[in-house]
Amino acid sequence: MDIQRFRAEFPITRSKIFLNHAAVSPLPLRSADAMRSYVENKVKAQLTHDVDLGDWRKKIAETKGLFARLIGAREDEIAHIPNTTFGLNLIAQMLDYKPGSNVVTNTLEYISNVIVWLKLRERGVEVRIVRDVGGRISVDMLEKSIDDRTVAVAVGQVGWYNGFRHDLRAISEIAHERGAFLAVDGIQAVGNMKIDVAREGIDFLACGSYKWLLGPLGAGFLYIKSEHIDRFNPPILGGGSIDPEVSRRNIYERFDLYELKYSKGIGKYEAAHINDVAYIGVGESMRLLLDYGVENVEERIKRIGDYFISSLIEMGYELQTPLGEDEHHAIINFKVKDPDAVMDYLSRNGVVVSKRVGGIRVSPHFYNTEEEIEKFLSILKGIR
Ligand SMILES: Cc1ncc(COP(=O)(O)O)c(C=O)c1O
């Protein structure tokens, strides 16, 4: 497929080598255009009361189906939420805990996926944090902490600073055997690899919009496996969480008659109004990814990453990314003596990356090219 057609969606490629999709990604032109025209139509509708926004509303609703396709879920298993962190909080707070319950997380997680679980200590839940060794955590290491009092095992599919890739299928088998759920932070994976929630045995997955999904900020998604949707209730409520009949009565009748009766289906997890403009944008970005094909995206990211890794090794850099087969994806981190000085030098030379945990984190997407990596490597050679 012609990659130039896709690169044209990202004007930043004309002036910079942008390898920072694990941070905040550039917005494709088509997403920005769609957001602009939606806002223009919305303003017109507000001024004249004579513009039908029905098609746009349909587009916003369709984003659930698009996200569902990216993770192998059903549309009615997807809720709109603002961001990953919101989703992780929701999952942690809605599960049932008894005296003696525990949850398992680990040291490779982004801070959100640790502290939302730490908060449960206030409810007497034991929080087990499995320590990584050299940037990796094997299934065996996690298994030792999971027992029949474990309520949830929390992992990110791809690690935020070094790209370590958990074997979710193996983890979910162990978790389920012991009666625990698998809760996944998906933001560093959805959009850069094929995910299949059924095959991996994922019970819950939260994902923001602005990294590998190439969307704007504020248009996240929460996957809840269908059989869990009615079994649990959201810890955060608003008009959307309540049965529409009861909601109407609650508004028009006396306060002392107010009732709490949850609405059916995934909608009860969407307490309040969403950021409509942002969902218009992320919808177009997901269409772009699906247009190229998520398997093709994954394959290209792997190829670019492999080339980059072997060149770094040849140049004598120490990698913080585990290098075993299927142990890493999309994010590569190499150590440098003075990260600030390296970042400064790279930025002066038009390279956009991040410094993380004493190294430089590089995160190319499918529209990056081997030529860009070559150029980046030759700039890097200028440092030594
Ligand atoms: C793995 C991971 N989880 C969560 C977050 C935060 O995501 P959000 O802003 O969607 O809550 C980040 C952001 O860097 C991340 O890398």
Side-chain angles (χ1 to χ4, degrees):
M1 213 176 298
D2 179 17
I3 203 67
Q4 292 309 328
R5 175 160 77 83
F6 291 91
R7 281 175 71 73
E9 290 281 351
F10 301 91
I12 195 164
T13 54
R14 290 186 222 134
S15 55
K16 305 260 183 220
I17 302 177
F18 186 92
L19 302 167
N20 208 21
H21 299 89
V24 178
S25 291
L27 197 62
L29 286 178
R30 69 161 99 169
S31 311
D33 287 345
M35 289 166 78
R36 203 175 295 115
S37 51
Y38 174 64
V39 171
E40 279 166 8
N41 276 278
K42 202 173 159 179
V43 170
K44 242 186 252 162
Q46 282 163 355
L47 289 176
T48 64
H49 284 271
D50 192 26
V51 177
D52 182 6
L53 292 176
D55 284 349
W56 290 100
R57 294 216 178 85
K58 211 168 119 223
K59 271 186 187 292
I60 292 169
E62 279 167 8
T63 58
K64 292 188 179 184
L66 295 168
F67 186 80
R69 275 172 67 192
L70 288 171
I71 65 165
R74 286 189 347 223
E75 189 176 333
D76 59 4
E77 294 175 308
I78 308 296
H80 284 147
I81 53 165
N83 48 50
T84 321
T85 303
F86 185 94
L88 295 173
N89 272 285
L90 205 136
I91 299 162
Q93 290 298 322
M94 78 182 184
L95 301 179
D96 298 323
Y97 304 98
K98 296 195 203 77
S101 290
N102 68 69
V103 291
V104 176
T105 181
N106 65 86
T107 52
L108 292 178
E109 296 306 306
Y110 183 75
I111 187 165
S112 301
N113 207 15
V114 178
I115 59 176
V116 305
W117 303 101
L118 282 186
K119 177 151 178 72
L120 297 173
R121 284 182 177 158
E122 294 166 7
R123 287 161 65 179
V125 176
E126 183 194 348
V127 182
R128 300 176 174 173
I129 304 177
V130 178
R131 288 201 159 275
D132 68 287
V133 175
R136 50 163 72 79
I137 292 175
S138 65
V139 176
D140 291 350
M141 287 159 76
L142 277 172
E143 181 169 17
K144 289 196 184 90
S145 292
I146 305 172
D147 58 29
D148 55 14
R149 291 181 160 195
T150 305
V151 174
V153 180
V155 293
Q157 166 69 96
V158 171
W160 68 283
Y161 83 87
N162 72 351
F164 177 74
R165 180 175 173 168
H166 283 285
D167 181 349
L168 296 187
R169 191 176 185 167
I171 299 169
S172 72
E173 271 170 20
I174 293 162
H176 292 163
E177 240 168 52
R178 295 171 196 179
F181 297 112
L182 176 63
V184 173
D185 175 342
I187 195 170
Q188 293 293 7
V190 183
N192 69 27
M193 62 186 280
K194 174 114 189 80
I195 293 181
D196 184 331
V197 286
R199 190 193 60 210
E200 309 291 358
I202 299 172
D203 295 289
F204 309 100
L205 180 146
C207 183
S209 44
Y210 59 89
K211 297 184 191 288
W212 302 92
L213 284 184
L214 301 169
L217 294 154
F221 298 92
L222 173 68
Y223 158 78
I224 301 182
K225 190 177 179 183
S226 59
E227 67 194 63
H228 305 327
I229 292 173
D230 290 338
R231 170 171 173 192
F232 295 103
N233 285 318
I236 295 163
L237 302 185
S241 328
I242 310 300
D243 180 298
E245 262 310 298
V246 172
S247 181
R248 225 165 293 133
R249 279 207 306 276
N250 280 358
I251 291 171
Y252 296 116
E253 302 210 346
R254 288 168 23 215
F255 289 159
D256 57 356
L257 295 178
Y258 269 29
E259 261 184 88
L260 169 56
K261 185 173 170 210
Y262 292 104
S263 52
K264 284 262 169 268
I266 192 79
K268 71 178 170 180
Y269 296 92
E270 300 170 321
H273 297 93
I274 55 163
N275 185 344
D276 51 356
V277 188
Y279 281 100
I280 290 289
V282 78
E284 281 311 301
S285 301
M286 290 191 291
R287 280 180 217 283
L288 178 138
L289 287 167
L290 289 162
D291 190 8
Y292 191 73
V294 75
E295 282 93 351
N296 298 332
V297 167
E298 177 171 349
E299 204 270 323
R300 240 189 103 84
I301 287 176
K302 262 202 186 118
R303 205 172 65 224
I304 293 170
D306 285 349
Y307 171 56
F308 186 53
I309 287 173
S310 57
S311 307
L312 283 174
I313 292 172
E314 238 170 63
M315 286 166 72
Y317 280 104
E318 184 189 337
L319 272 79
Q320 306 208 80
T321 297
L323 296 178
E325 179 78 17
D326 291 334
E327 252 194 343
H328 63 94
H329 185 62
I331 294 173
I332 297 145
N333 187 311
F334 60 98
K335 270 195 163 166
V336 291
K337 276 198 203 85
D338 185 347
D340 287 319
V342 174
M343 281 298 290
D344 184 46
Y345 169 80
L346 291 175
S347 149
R348 275 187 280 113
N349 283 280
V351 178
V352 187
V353 289
S354 291
K355 70 174 165 120
R356 292 286 185 274
V357 195
I360 301 297
R361 181 184 72 179
V362 181
S363 46
H365 214 318
F366 78 101
Y367 66 89
N368 288 118
T369 59
E370 267 138 353
E371 292 74 49
E372 284 181 302
I373 298 293
E374 253 166 45
K375 217 160 153 193
F376 173 36
L377 290 164
S378 74
I379 292 167
L380 208 51
K381 278 179 189 146
I383 294 179
R384 322 172 106 209

